[in-house]
Amino acid sequence: MEEKKIKIGITQGDINGVGYEVILKILSDPNIVDLCTPIVYGSPKIAAYHRKALNMDTFTFNIISKAEDANAKRINIINCVDEEIRVELGKSTKAAGQASFLALERATEDYKNGLIDALVTAPINKNNIQSEDFQFAGHTDYLQEKFAIQQQALMLMATETLKVGLLSMHVPLSEVPKYVTKENVRKRIQDFEACLKQDFRILKPRIAVLGLNPHAGDNGVIGKEEIEVIQPVIEELQKKSILCYGPYPADGFFGSEKFREFDGILAMYHDQGLIPFKTLAMENGVNYSACLPIIRTSPDHGTAYDIAGQNIASEVSMRQALYMAIDIYRNRKYYEEITANPLRKQYYEKGGADIDISLIENEEKENHGHL
């Protein structure tokens, strides 16, 4: 597969939070330009303010007016906001929300026009970004509308060894049971398996499915969703050679470290999946909008107003988000190549008898598991 220099768009996020701090820290690594061509969508003036606050005055950007002018050997930045905007570290302001939206809007347009290959978003404040132009729960919903994507995204929290997907995302807890239907559970498991294969190069992924109720319903004593909905779907998909198991009680599943036996874990609701994930992997976790034709990653933390400008924010999660975006782009290209011209499904023995190649493939997948 021919390698190409990947262009990664990086949005500034909320200018009063730690977004610029983690961006500057990861881009100060001189090896970054060997991996990709970074293009920051933000403001040279605001970046300079943060550089000074962080004592990083030696760091320099290549200021460009459009993505086509990006220098592959430099850290590029495109101005997206009014130069007179004011930075107020640690505060949620309408101006900061507008600035985060303008950067996202410009990056999205460039992505739609094929000028960047993937998007890494610094944290936004979901309250101050709201306006007539942005009335969404977050980045993912906005991107789905802008790209006219009908496919429902899978919110995936990921590290190299732990990947937790969510059946329901940002919905009130009282509404979660509405989402636990056979149709939704089936689709989420199938989507998750496809994502693990395509984006993470896991040949035959093993997926654990958590129960909705305490103790996974305790055989119907505490709730019947496990018996009536989740278990039948798991059994149905197992017959289709999807390696999914459960439903597991969430507390014991993570407490006993059984999660280490699986490539992916499907949680029924937000906190069921994110509390254990962030407890185990807060430092290097990545928020990935999976199952979409576009690639968008972000760090698994928020704006962190309380430590903004203090030079103590960890950049590890942002770095992992950048690395993951690059890896997923390459993995998708690889997957496209190996599936473009599939081999015929029959071998022929010298004696003339047919051998079903799928039997051989299934045996190899069981023996090897991963590429």
Side-chain angles (χ1 to χ4, degrees):
M1 181 173 64
E2 183 180 351
E3 291 285 348
K4 75 164 233 181
K5 195 75 173 292
I6 303 168
K7 288 186 176 181
I8 303 292
I10 304 172
T11 58
Q12 66 182 356
D14 192 298
I15 62 173
N16 295 335
V18 298
Y20 265 108
E21 179 174 341
V22 296
I23 289 171
L24 291 167
K25 285 179 176 178
I26 66 167
L27 297 183
S28 63
D29 180 351
N31 296 316
I32 288 294
V33 292
D34 294 329
L35 298 174
C36 65
T37 300
I39 304 174
V40 176
Y41 290 81
S43 160
K45 183 177 180 180
I46 295 172
Y49 179 97
H50 283 272
R51 287 204 317 267
K52 183 176 181 180
L54 300 169
N55 295 315
M56 297 178 66
D57 293 329
T58 58
F59 183 98
T60 59
F61 278 107
N62 177 45
I63 302 174
I64 57 177
S65 58
K66 56 186 186 296
E68 299 97 308
D69 296 334
N71 186 326
K73 297 181 180 180
R74 297 284 305 279
I75 306 299
N76 304 278
I77 188 168
I78 296 175
N79 184 49
C80 304
V81 303
D82 185 342
E83 285 295 312
E84 299 305 315
I85 193 167
R86 182 182 177 188
V87 178
E88 299 182 73
L89 290 173
K91 295 182 180 180
S92 173
T93 65
K94 201 64 181 175
Q98 177 69 1
S100 61
F101 167 72
L102 291 172
L104 177 61
E105 182 182 47
R106 177 69 181 273
T108 301
E109 285 302 311
D110 282 356
Y111 201 164
K112 287 174 67 176
N113 292 324
L115 301 178
I116 57 177
D117 300 306
L119 186 62
V120 179
T121 59
I124 61 172
N125 181 307
K126 293 177 183 177
N127 181 40
N128 68 26
I129 195 175
Q130 299 297 321
S131 68
E132 291 184 2
D133 298 314
F134 190 100
Q135 299 178 22
F136 303 92
H139 285 100
T140 302
D141 295 338
Y142 172 80
L143 292 170
Q144 284 188 231
E145 178 169 297
K146 282 298 180 181
F147 284 86
I149 299 169
Q150 299 302 314
Q151 170 78 356
Q152 179 63 40
L154 173 70
M155 182 175 176
L156 182 64
M157 307 300 293
T159 68
E160 185 175 345
T161 57
L162 178 63
K163 296 172 180 63
V164 179
L166 303 181
L167 179 77
S168 61
M169 295 188 284
H170 296 115
V171 299
L173 192 58
S174 61
E175 296 182 12
V176 168
K178 299 177 186 177
Y179 290 82
V180 185
T181 66
K182 286 186 177 181
E183 180 182 2
N184 285 345
V185 174
R186 182 186 301 112
K187 188 169 191 317
R188 292 289 77 177
I189 294 174
Q190 291 173 323
D191 288 347
F192 204 172
E193 188 204 34
C195 166
L196 292 170
K197 287 180 176 180
Q198 174 182 265
D199 295 341
F200 297 97
R201 291 180 68 170
I202 302 174
L203 184 61
K204 196 64 178 175
R206 292 169 53 86
I207 298 172
V209 182
L210 303 182
L212 172 66
N213 300 294
H215 306 294
D218 232 349
N219 294 317
V221 175
I222 304 177
K224 298 188 182 300
E225 285 86 355
E226 288 77 12
I227 294 175
E228 296 178 354
V229 178
I230 302 173
Q231 183 64 41
V233 171
I234 290 173
E235 293 173 356
E236 171 195 329
L237 294 178
Q238 286 176 342
K239 292 176 182 178
K240 297 180 180 180
S241 299
I242 293 179
L243 302 182
C244 55
Y245 306 92
Y248 295 104
D251 55 351
F253 180 82
F254 287 102
S256 65
E257 298 198 349
K258 192 172 182 63
F259 66 89
R260 299 186 187 279
E261 300 174 13
F262 296 91
D263 302 297
I265 301 154
L266 182 65
M268 294 295 105
Y269 56 93
H270 186 280
D271 285 9
Q272 185 189 53
L274 266 63
I275 289 174
F277 179 87
K278 292 192 175 184
T279 300
L280 294 165
M282 182 68 180
E283 180 72 8
N284 60 350
V286 176
N287 183 345
Y288 172 42
S289 299
C291 301
L292 298 180
I294 62 172
I295 300 169
R296 175 260 168 175
T297 63
S298 72
D300 68 352
H301 59 75
T303 56
Y305 289 138
D306 57 321
I307 59 171
Q310 299 178 35
N311 203 11
I312 59 175
S314 171
E315 74 278 17
V316 175
S317 181
M318 188 69 174
R319 180 181 294 115
Q320 294 303 317
L322 176 66
Y323 289 166
M324 188 173 290
I326 295 170
D327 287 343
I328 291 171
Y329 178 86
R330 290 174 174 166
N331 289 343
R332 286 191 178 185
K333 290 298 181 184
Y334 174 82
Y335 188 82
E336 288 173 7
E337 289 197 3
I338 65 172
T339 57
N341 296 297
L343 295 173
R344 295 171 62 194
K345 288 297 181 182
Q346 296 286 331
Y347 282 139
Y348 294 92
E349 285 189 314
K350 290 182 180 179
D354 294 348
I355 300 175
D356 188 351
I357 191 174
S358 65
L359 299 177
I360 300 173
E361 291 175 336
N362 287 338
E363 182 178 351
E364 289 179 346
K365 290 174 183 177
E366 292 297 330
N367 290 337
H368 298 292
H370 295 65
L371 286 175

